[in-house]
Amino acid sequence: RRVALDLLDGVWAVARLAPDTPIPDWLPRDGALVSVTRTAEELSLVCPEEAVPRGVRTERGFRCLVVRGPLAFSEIGILAALARPLAEAGVSLFALSTFDTDFLLVPARGLDRAVEALRRAGHVVAG
């Protein structure tokens, strides 16, 4: 399966707060990729790196590839087709999905390797 992706501008972070923490007002509301996921164990946030204040438990330095969508819920194997070449190239992956598409966060230091691996696997990466 061949997938088309776009590299988003900017650098992202994944932050972790206590599960009962209210959604913070420092999260951008300007249309940048932001994801909020609450479980019994944590409040997990994905947002532009510069938005996260000091003192918040954070993994920083991710670049973001977005699958060109919208994708139908019936489509099978998209993340698998992308995760396999990244794993084989030794690039870690933090994936998230929305109603319309999938996002792949990869460490900025591994971006060139990630793009090369995806292209070798037959995917199209723009940006």
Side-chain angles (χ1 to χ4, degrees):
R1 154 150 214 139
R2 185 177 187 176
V3 178
L5 304 105
D6 294 306
L7 177 64
L8 298 183
D9 289 333
V11 180
W12 270 258
V14 182
R16 183 192 191 284
L17 300 172
D20 57 348
T21 304
I23 296 172
D25 11 350
W26 48 258
L27 281 176
R29 289 167 170 63
D30 63 359
L33 171 65
V34 170
S35 178
V36 178
T37 305
R38 188 183 306 274
T39 69
E41 292 79 30
E42 66 177 303
L43 177 64
S44 183
L45 309 168
V46 175
C47 65
E49 184 177 86
E50 69 270 7
V52 183
R54 289 188 181 272
V56 174
R57 183 174 173 193
T58 308
E59 292 290 328
R60 299 175 181 269
F62 291 96
R63 295 300 308 272
C64 184
L65 295 158
V66 57
V67 176
R68 287 188 199 151
L71 304 172
F73 277 83
S74 59
E75 293 190 58
I76 297 169
I78 293 170
L79 281 178
L82 299 169
R84 180 178 311 272
L86 293 177
E88 290 170 354
V91 178
S92 67
L93 165 67
F94 184 97
L96 32 114
S97 298
T98 64
F99 192 93
D100 285 339
T101 195
D102 297 319
F103 295 84
L104 308 179
L105 278 74
V106 298
R109 69 185 179 285
L111 178 64
D112 291 342
R113 223 170 358 146
V115 170
E116 179 184 322
L118 291 167
R119 287 180 174 152
R120 258 197 333 265
H123 305 298
V124 176
V125 182

